[in-house]
Each structure stands twice: as structure tokens, then as C-alpha cells.
Amino acid sequence: MLSTGALRAHLLAARLAGPVATSRETSLRSYRLFAARDPRVMLGLAPERVWGEGELLRLMAERCGVSADPAQVSGPDAIDPERTVAALDAFAERLALVAERRAPVLLGTGHPHRLLGFYAGLADALSAAGCPVLTPAQGRCVDITTRYGVRTYSLDYVRGVALVREPGGRPTGGETGAHTHSPLPVRLALQDAAERLGVLPELVIGDHGWVCGAGQLGIEAIGPADTDDPALFVGEAEGRVSVVVPVDDGVRAPFYRPLTRYVLNRARLSP
């Protein structure tokens, strides 16, 4: 069992919280783009009201622990580990409830190189608890706008976790899939789940567009987010995202394993 104190120490040692690798410049740029409703940072969310840069900074300070001082414009950004622990507790509560109901779930990631193992551990535990882990639209293609133009990706699943691959991109060596912020993969998966499987997930677990895209469509969604991902925190503030865990989403994959153990223990889903 990983205690709260041990988890807090791990968050700081691995730089999952505390001073993180995401720069202040990157975070503030994301807030400016979100305030301008730039689709690159909206992640499929359509906010109910206007969010100015100042409001976003205050929200991120409240939910994430970044500095609320607009004069701080450089250096590493920061995440309050106490907020991370509290959000992981709330995350575990949602897992426990869905497991108790043996409800269908969908897991997906736009960060497969970092977070695939975190989600796969959750998928294994939820499946063992009797939750159908849905894998809709496997092999289907989706066109996603990137900095290099529109590219076609295919939807795939690894250990029950959805991700997208480049055309012909079956895994070779360490390849796990492509990085994406797009909400289009979750929209495709949910459409296929409804039309072909006749069932929708009661809970979507993921990041980026997987959370915001599902929440925008009225599906309960939870997941982690970094200091430069204001869309998830706005979604939480507006009631369309259930739980957002503030955490650096770009550290080495093994550093997320203690988080998996912690939430599964709190959710009473440990093997």
C-alpha cells in the first residue's frame, strides 16, 4: 500500500508535481490561445461562457497550484502536490463507483508514450471487477489536423486503451502510438459504440481530447492534465468533466506506476 505521504514524496521526486518541466511561458501561451478560442487548445470543449486570460490564470492557480501572479512570465511552472493527491482521491472514488455498478468504460490517451501503462493498469483492474472495457471503432480511420496539415490516423487499442497510429503504424520496437490533442478519436469511438455495439460507456478515462470530447457530449469523463491544458480544468469548473488530476503529463512512463497503485488501492480494486 502506498501511503499519502509516500505518494506526495514520489510526486515531488519524479517532478510530477512541485516545479515541473512545463514552462511558465508554455502555460501562459495556452491560456492566451484558450481565451481566443483557438481550437488547438480547446480539445473539443465548447465553453459555456467567455474565459479571459486573467480568469484562466486564477482558475489554474486554484485547481492546479500555478502562480496566480501575471507578472511571473518565465521559469518552470508548478503544481501543488496536495491538489494532485486530493484529485487522485476523487479519481479513485469515481473508479470505485463504476466498478461497483460493473458499468462499461472507455479508456483512451493522446499521450501513449507516457501514460499508456497508467491507463492499462486501470483497464485491467476494471475488467477484473466486471466492467466491460469497450474497444469500439478499432481499425477505423480518422483525419486529424496537425502542424503538418491534415493526416489520417487509425484507431487502435493496447491492453484495452485506445490510441491513434500513423497509417500502417503497427507497433515496432518501442512504438506505442501518436501524440494527439484531438477530440475526433473519442467522437469516432463513441459513435461506433452507440451505433454498432448499442452501448455507451458510463465513464471515459483519458486525457486531452478524450476527456474534453467525451465531456462535451455529456459522457462522464476523468483524467490527468498538465499546467498548459486549461480546457480540462474549464470543463471541470463548468461541470462537464468530473475529475481532473493536475500532474505533469510528460515524465517517464514508469513514474506513473505508483499513481496507478495508489488509485486502485483507494478504489479497493488492487489485485
Side-chain angles (χ1 to χ4, degrees):
M1 181 184 301
L2 187 68
S3 69
T4 300
L7 173 65
R8 188 182 300 108
H10 172 72
L11 292 170
L12 293 170
R15 294 192 67 186
L16 289 157
V20 294
T22 307
S23 70
R24 182 70 165 181
E25 295 94 329
T26 299
S27 296
L28 293 177
R29 178 177 180 272
S30 291
Y31 307 160
R32 287 194 297 272
L33 292 175
F34 190 95
R37 300 214 169 199
D38 190 306
R40 290 174 294 176
V41 297
M42 303 305 285
L43 310 183
L45 187 75
E48 295 176 350
R49 66 178 185 82
V50 174
W51 287 81
E53 290 180 49
E55 287 180 293
L56 287 167
L57 182 58
R58 289 190 292 274
L59 176 71
M60 296 301 289
E62 174 192 337
R63 301 288 175 109
C64 205
V66 305
S67 171
D69 183 2
Q72 183 181 335
V73 296
S74 63
D77 224 329
I79 294 173
D80 179 2
E82 299 299 334
R83 288 172 170 82
T84 305
V85 172
L88 285 170
D89 289 344
F91 186 100
E93 289 178 10
R94 304 314 301 164
L95 293 184
L97 287 173
V98 78
E100 183 180 347
R101 295 195 302 271
R102 297 184 178 179
V105 296
L106 174 66
L107 299 95
T109 180
H111 265 300
H113 294 84
R114 306 299 185 185
L115 291 168
L116 178 61
F118 171 73
Y119 298 119
L122 304 181
D124 290 344
L126 289 167
S127 179
C131 293
V133 177
L134 305 180
T135 57
Q138 184 162 14
R140 295 274 300 277
C141 291
V142 56
D143 294 331
I144 298 175
T145 300
T146 73
R147 69 181 67 180
Y148 308 107
V150 176
R151 289 192 169 182
T152 300
Y153 294 84
S154 61
L155 187 62
D156 200 4
Y157 289 83
V158 176
R159 292 178 58 191
V161 183
L163 48 81
V164 296
R165 298 190 190 281
E166 295 275 6
R170 295 300 300 173
T172 56
E175 181 189 344
T176 55
H179 175 250
T180 181
H181 287 198
S182 175
L184 297 181
V186 74
R187 292 176 187 169
L188 176 64
L190 291 173
Q191 180 181 12
D192 187 62
E195 295 177 354
R196 185 176 59 84
L197 303 180
V199 62
L200 284 171
E202 286 196 19
L203 182 68
V204 171
I205 305 167
D207 47 64
H208 290 168
W210 285 91
V211 170
C212 289
Q216 184 65 34
L217 294 175
I219 306 293
E220 183 177 8
I222 63 176
D226 209 332
T227 59
D228 61 345
D229 291 327
L232 283 87
F233 295 96
V234 169
E236 185 182 40
E238 292 190 345
R240 273 168 291 169
V241 175
S242 289
V243 179
V244 183
V245 179
V247 69
D248 189 316
D249 60 13
V251 304
R252 292 174 52 204
F255 291 153
Y256 297 99
R257 291 174 189 160
L259 278 63
T260 305
R261 294 199 301 270
Y262 180 83
V263 297
L264 291 181
N265 179 67
R266 297 284 293 188
R268 301 175 297 283
L269 293 171
S270 296

